[in-house]
Amino acid sequence: MNISYKWLKEYVDFDLTPQETAEALTSIGLEVGGLEEVQTVKGGLKGLYVGQVLTCEPHPNSDHLHVTTVDLGKDEAQQIVCGAPNVAAGQKVIVADLGCVLYDGEESFTIKRSKLRGVESLGMICAEDEIGVGSSHDGIIVLPDDAVVGTPAAQYYQLESDWVLEVDITANRGDALSHYGVARDFHAWLKQQGRPTGLHRPSCDAFKVDNEDLPIDVEIENTEACRRYACVSITDCDVKESPAWLQDKLRVVGLRPINNIVDITNYVMMAYGQPMHCFDADMVKGHRIVVRTQPEGTKFVTLDGEEHTLGGRDLSICNAEEPMCIAGVFGGKGSGTYDTTRNVVLESAWFHPTWIRKSARRHGLSTDASYRFERGIDPEGIIYALKQAAILCKELAGGKVSMQIKDVYPKPIDDFKVSLSYDYVHRLIGKEIGKETIKNIVASLEMKIVGETEAGVELLVPSYRSDVQRPCDVVEDILRIYGYNNVEIPTQLKSSLTIAGDEDREHRLANLIGEQLVGCGFNEILNNSLSRLSYYTDLDLNAYPEANTVKLMNPLSADLGVMRQTLLFGGLESIMRNVNRRNGNLRFFETGNVYRYDKEKWNAEAPAKAYGEDQHLALWLTGKRVEGSWAHADEDMSFYELKAYVQNIFVRTGIPAGILVINKSDNNIFSKGLAYANRGGKVLAEVGILNGKLLRRFDISRPVYYADIDWKALAKLSGKREIVFEEISKFPAVSRDLALLINKDVTFGQIEQIALQTEKKLLKRVELFDVYEGKNLPAGKKSYAVNFILQDAGRTLNDKAIDGVMQKLIKQLSAKLGAELR
């Protein structure tokens, strides 16, 4: 929000410099992000002077150029070639001297010595639009005869610099989105500082109705979205360029002047915070305005020529037949004010912030008006703004007020009632500031004291402060004006000791694993917890049924309609985005919450019991493991690589493989997958190759390997185990191999589990190094070549001990799996 220093002084009296003003506003929560000195005309008219045309002759090589000599108050007159049709000897003109920089929007050019059709030119005689003091380009500026030659143009036009304060308004402070809104807060601060000050704004006494020639009827059909709507008609307007003072004010704060009627509505918005719209009265068919929503699918063309499709949640301002604008957002084509307009209707209204915000986002339209409506405006300022605009229309456009103000306000918005305890204020601030100080500050903030006791006061907070509805909100306002820096830092620090709990341990463990994965080449991703419902309805996933989704009652869009049941889809969206941008070799991980609804647990007395929230860790691999290396052939990533990463996570969290049960996963997101569970059957992790149907849904044509780890369950299991570090054994390990003939349905995981349970002391590791299926084997059989690593930390193993262990292993494998030695 750009605030003009000079404009601010029109509403509040003060003697601070621009820098001091910026510091004061920042101290009361209206943080000034930038302070810049500006001119109302870009460039400040530097290098421009009043000159007099001494001679004017036709150009010898052109039928429209003239060769002039111009006196700029220097020792010698300058020769200037001019193409304006109205240039003549004896005129007083504005001249751009050599070196002067002129601006055309964001572009600029410098006046240099040049030749035009062979004749030297040492400057430029200027038109209004060329120097920024008007929009006319019909000819050069011709000044009155009393203009003094050599006078700088900035001095002639009495151009004064201003300061613009770039105030960063937080979302809750819609009341400060205007010069008067900032002035109110600033005035309260000045009073608290004991500085002489006063707050004032123009009176509406000049407003009067001239006739009843153009009455407009108003009806509000949707009173939820529009709580108040007021309008007035102005006839016989002369729509033209605004006077210089109005154009200067708008330019300083970054708005482009259009015409006097439109500029008036923009001026009122920037001055008092009330967005307004002006309709061409001829567009108000039936002399009737209806505030309502449109049928779903209604087509509407806005002022910028873009077509939009309106829905049942888009509020429209309509005439008797059709919509004229999207309420609070954008006007419709043809409904605005043009040079041919004679009669206008001024609108001033209060629209519900949520309705305006959603319409603006839905249609991709963000305007100064919608920005203010989204944050809430003052419902009691609507009539004041309307009267001020009408007064200006009479002054600047010669119009006549042709109806009584039509004000439809079916359910007035009351001031907010707040009970404030003095002890509560002192406790929250951390300092006793005194009852009188509290009362003075709330009064300066226009809060009415309607009741008072020894303990506190009863307040009515003005409706424009929609963010102040609780005692703590009032205390925040009091402290802003009192000054945060005036609250001394105590010499004692009081605190309570806290003991790190499970969440702290889980967080540290998550950081530890995150660092491990980053060290392995992974990138961490962070996706939205909101997801598409279609992922759960279209893909027929047994682990994530549509019935278990947590649906939003009022989603912003179809893409954000439910809470995610899994991290999977967010990761696939990230993969799709990267692959589409030719970044195909990816290692991703994400730690985040997933959500689930269980209808069976629903209880009207405790509805929250039906909803669950768990933390998961997910990993994705796709593309090449090695690519473009001179030392290694290209190699694709594989399921076994991902499996190794998952097992390393188990090791790092202190969970040995021996306590986990590995089974085939029945989750149909995988074409092939494994499930890791504890001995109680609780699945801790699933690892596999994502199925083709799922990948096609995301336009991914390459294999993707995915792991889903129940982080809460894993952390809980990890917390029950103490990680012990052992010294590397001084005694050698022994390796033994067995070639086992087993049934095809037997997995290596079963062999590993039985082996580790059989010999817990000496058996350190079990590895599968070969699988054979084919001829020379009985039907339904396969051969596994398994390596066993034995080691004793206290002695060297002899053949007797080794053979004893191996015989126990063979016996158990034979008994439990029917394994035979080949």
Side-chain angles (χ1 to χ4, degrees):
M1 170 72 186
N2 288 334
I3 295 294
S4 160
Y5 175 76
K6 291 171 62 177
W7 196 346
L8 185 65
K9 297 193 80 165
E10 295 180 16
Y11 303 123
V12 60
D13 301 325
F14 63 96
D15 57 2
L16 275 65
T17 65
Q19 182 62 46
E20 291 171 336
T21 303
E23 292 171 358
L25 291 177
T26 298
S27 74
I28 59 176
L30 302 177
E31 184 178 357
V32 177
L35 179 64
E36 180 184 4
E37 185 178 10
V38 297
Q39 293 86 21
T40 51
V41 176
K42 192 169 185 179
L45 301 182
K46 293 179 181 178
L48 292 157
Y49 301 93
V50 175
Q52 183 172 18
V53 181
L54 302 179
T55 63
C56 179
E57 303 292 339
H59 193 292
N61 300 320
S62 171
D63 57 359
H64 70 280
L65 296 176
H66 296 84
V67 180
T68 68
T69 54
V70 182
D71 179 12
L72 291 179
K74 300 180 180 180
D75 293 339
E76 295 183 4
Q78 293 178 206
Q79 178 173 284
I80 297 176
V81 178
C82 179
N86 64 330
V87 65
Q91 292 175 334
K92 298 287 183 70
V93 294
I94 296 292
V95 178
D97 202 1
L98 295 176
C100 174
V101 179
L102 298 180
Y103 296 88
D104 182 12
E106 296 300 320
E107 298 181 359
S108 65
F109 64 95
T110 303
I111 302 300
K112 299 178 181 178
R113 183 188 298 265
S114 61
K115 284 189 177 182
L116 298 176
R117 299 283 182 93
V119 177
E120 188 176 47
S121 181
L122 304 177
M124 174 179 170
I125 305 175
C126 301
E128 286 184 353
D129 66 330
E130 291 169 333
I131 64 174
V133 298
S135 59
S136 173
H137 195 71
D138 296 336
I140 60 171
I141 302 170
V142 179
L143 303 177
D145 292 338
D146 59 357
V148 179
V149 173
T151 302
Q155 180 181 332
Y156 177 81
Y157 283 105
Q158 298 180 341
L159 190 68
E160 297 180 8
S161 64
D162 193 1
W163 290 85
V164 171
L165 298 91
E166 185 182 334
V167 182
D168 300 327
I169 306 295
T170 54
N172 65 312
R173 292 301 307 276
D175 64 291
L177 287 170
S178 66
H179 284 76
Y180 187 73
V182 171
R184 274 188 306 230
D185 261 22
F186 191 32
H187 172 255
W189 181 85
L190 291 167
K191 287 188 67 175
Q192 175 60 27
Q193 301 302 311
R195 294 176 177 270
T197 184
L199 181 68
H200 38 78
R201 63 178 181 177
S203 166
C204 291
D205 293 343
F207 176 83
K208 71 181 186 68
V209 178
D210 298 301
N211 55 58
E212 297 284 348
D213 292 348
L214 187 56
I216 302 294
D217 187 33
V218 174
E219 179 186 358
I220 302 177
E221 288 188 3
N222 191 321
T223 55
E224 176 197 349
C226 178
R227 297 284 292 273
R228 188 175 192 180
Y229 191 96
C231 71
V232 67
S233 62
I234 313 291
T235 58
D236 298 329
C237 294
D238 181 14
V239 179
K240 58 184 180 181
E241 188 177 273
S242 296
W245 69 266
L246 180 53
Q247 292 192 45
D248 290 347
K249 282 182 179 291
L250 296 180
R251 286 196 188 99
V252 164
V253 296
L255 296 182
R256 179 176 62 88
I258 298 174
N259 61 50
N260 51 0
I261 302 297
V262 175
D263 292 351
I264 286 168
T265 61
N266 286 333
Y267 169 80
V268 169
M269 177 178 66
M270 300 305 294
Y272 313 116
Q274 175 63 51
M276 300 184 69
H277 189 67
C278 49
F279 296 103
D280 186 323
D282 294 337
M283 287 293 296
V284 186
K285 298 176 182 178
H287 290 184
R288 186 165 181 261
I289 289 177
V290 183
V291 185
R292 62 171 181 238
T293 55
Q294 297 299 310
E296 195 74 37
T298 300
K299 301 297 183 182
F300 181 74
V301 180
T302 47
L303 281 169
D304 57 2
E306 295 293 324
E307 184 178 81
H308 298 267
T309 302
L310 303 183
R313 299 292 291 180
D314 292 318
L315 189 67
S316 301
I317 309 301
C318 309
N319 56 34
E321 299 176 7
E322 59 191 359
M324 297 185 292
C325 80
I326 303 175
V329 180
F330 218 101
K333 187 175 182 180
S335 69
T337 305
Y338 306 94
D339 293 343
T340 56
T341 300
R342 297 292 297 165
N343 305 320
V344 299
V345 177
L346 298 177
E347 165 197 279
S348 184
W350 188 97
F351 301 118
H352 197 290
T354 303
W355 279 71
I356 302 305
R357 181 172 62 252
K358 289 187 176 181
S359 285
R361 301 299 182 274
R362 190 178 299 117
H363 297 287
L365 298 171
S366 181
T367 61
D368 287 324
S370 68
Y371 185 80
R372 285 161 175 78
F373 280 124
E374 289 172 18
R375 284 154 179 77
I377 62 166
D378 181 11
E380 297 304 318
I382 287 172
I383 300 302
Y384 176 84
L386 195 61
K387 287 183 177 180
Q388 286 296 316
I391 291 169
L392 288 171
C393 284
K394 293 178 69 172
E395 291 179 0
L396 306 184
K400 298 180 178 64
V401 178
S402 297
M403 64 176 283
Q404 297 289 340
I405 289 178
K406 184 71 174 181
D407 181 17
V408 181
Y409 197 9
K411 189 177 179 181
I413 299 173
D414 297 327
D415 290 345
F416 307 107
K417 296 179 180 179
V418 177
S419 296
L420 188 66
S421 162
Y422 294 133
D423 288 341
Y424 178 77
V425 176
H426 298 149
R427 189 169 67 253
L428 216 58
I429 291 178
K431 174 184 178 180
E432 287 199 18
I433 65 175
K435 298 178 181 179
E436 290 304 315
T437 301
I438 293 172
K439 289 191 288 185
N440 289 338
I441 291 177
V442 296
S444 68
L445 290 170
E446 301 184 359
M447 301 179 191
K448 298 176 184 177
I449 300 176
V450 294
E452 183 177 0
T453 66
E454 279 298 314
V457 290
E458 297 289 328
L459 300 175
L460 281 182
V461 181
S463 57
Y464 65 78
R465 287 304 304 274
S466 58
D467 62 315
V468 180
Q469 300 183 22
R470 303 168 299 172
C472 60
D473 300 327
V474 177
V475 175
E476 181 186 1
D477 262 17
I478 292 171
L479 187 53
R480 283 194 307 109
I481 303 304
Y482 179 76
Y484 292 97
N485 293 335
N486 293 327
V487 179
E488 297 82 4
I489 298 175
T491 56
Q492 290 182 325
L493 179 63
K494 298 178 181 179
S495 64
S496 58
L497 297 177
T498 58
I499 299 173
D502 290 341
E503 288 189 5
D504 300 284
R505 191 180 59 80
E506 291 170 11
H507 182 69
R508 288 196 299 270
L509 196 58
N511 283 339
L512 184 70
I513 297 303
E515 291 171 359
Q516 175 175 312
L517 291 171
V518 169
C520 293
F522 280 78
N523 287 300
E524 184 173 12
I525 59 176
L526 182 64
N527 288 295
N528 201 328
S529 294
L530 302 178
S531 184
R532 297 186 184 186
L533 178 61
S534 60
Y535 290 153
Y536 303 96
T537 56
D538 299 349
L539 295 171
D540 190 27
L541 304 176
N542 58 6
Y544 315 114
E546 185 266 339
N548 288 352
T549 55
V550 179
K551 298 181 176 65
L552 301 188
M553 294 178 65
N554 192 16
L556 290 174
S557 69
D559 289 348
L560 304 172
V562 298
M563 305 292 284
R564 63 187 178 190
Q565 286 192 60
T566 172
L567 302 177
L568 170 64
F569 303 123
L572 290 178
E573 288 175 352
S574 300
I575 290 174
M576 177 176 66
R577 179 178 176 82
N578 278 270
V579 169
N580 289 343
R581 286 157 180 78
R582 299 188 178 183
N583 181 28
N585 303 329
L586 305 169
R587 290 181 174 89
F588 286 156
F589 78 95
E590 179 178 10
T591 304
N593 290 342
V594 297
Y595 309 87
R596 197 173 181 88
Y597 170 71
D598 189 346
K599 186 178 180 181
E600 301 298 325
K601 295 182 180 179
W602 171 260
N603 186 327
E605 295 180 359
K609 289 184 178 181
Y611 298 91
E613 179 179 0
D614 290 305
Q615 190 175 24
H616 279 235
L617 168 64
L619 288 73
W620 295 263
L621 291 183
T622 187
K624 298 286 186 181
R625 177 175 175 270
V626 180
E627 185 177 41
S629 172
W630 63 270
H632 196 293
D634 287 2
E635 181 180 337
D636 291 333
M637 295 188 193
S638 69
F639 165 79
Y640 300 103
E641 183 181 356
L642 181 60
K643 180 185 174 186
Y645 289 133
V646 172
Q647 291 184 342
N648 285 339
I649 291 173
F650 292 151
V651 172
R652 192 65 181 269
T653 53
I655 301 174
I659 72 167
L660 297 180
V661 179
I662 305 175
N663 296 309
K664 182 179 178 182
S665 173
D666 59 359
N667 191 336
N668 65 349
I669 64 170
F670 299 120
S671 58
K672 292 181 180 179
L674 296 178
Y676 292 82
N678 62 20
R679 291 176 183 174
K682 170 70 175 177
V683 175
L684 300 179
E686 292 183 291
V687 187
I689 309 169
L690 293 176
N691 69 50
K693 178 183 177 182
L694 181 58
L695 295 180
R696 286 192 294 273
R697 176 70 168 77
F698 292 87
D699 293 327
I700 299 173
S701 57
R702 61 186 65 196
V704 176
Y705 308 99
Y706 173 68
D708 181 19
I709 301 173
D710 187 335
W711 184 252
K712 285 276 187 183
L714 186 69
K716 186 176 181 180
L717 186 61
S718 170
K720 296 178 180 179
R721 305 190 64 83
E722 182 180 357
I723 301 177
V724 178
F725 296 90
E726 296 179 349
E727 184 181 354
I728 297 175
S729 177
K730 300 176 183 178
F731 303 99
V734 177
S735 175
R736 291 289 186 270
D737 298 336
L738 292 179
L740 301 173
L741 186 65
I742 55 177
N743 294 331
K744 283 190 174 182
D745 59 352
V746 174
T747 65
F748 169 70
Q750 292 172 284
I751 295 173
E752 181 183 34
Q753 185 178 8
I754 292 170
L756 292 172
Q757 289 175 351
T758 300
E759 178 52 58
K760 296 180 179 179
K761 181 182 178 182
L762 300 180
L763 183 59
K764 302 301 181 183
R765 193 166 67 248
V766 182
E767 293 182 354
L768 176 68
F769 65 88
D770 188 40
V771 179
Y772 175 72
E773 295 180 71
K775 59 183 179 179
N776 300 326
L777 291 182
K781 296 287 186 177
K782 62 183 177 182
S783 175
Y784 271 4
V786 184
N787 175 249
F788 299 88
I789 303 296
L790 306 174
Q791 189 177 36
D792 192 325
R795 63 190 178 92
T796 300
L797 291 174
N798 54 35
D799 289 342
K800 182 179 179 181
I802 295 169
D803 291 340
V805 171
M806 295 307 297
Q807 289 301 319
K808 280 199 301 182
L809 292 175
I810 294 169
K811 182 178 179 181
Q812 288 296 318
L813 292 172
S814 176
K816 295 183 177 181
L817 299 178
E820 301 176 23
L821 290 179
R822 289 188 64 194

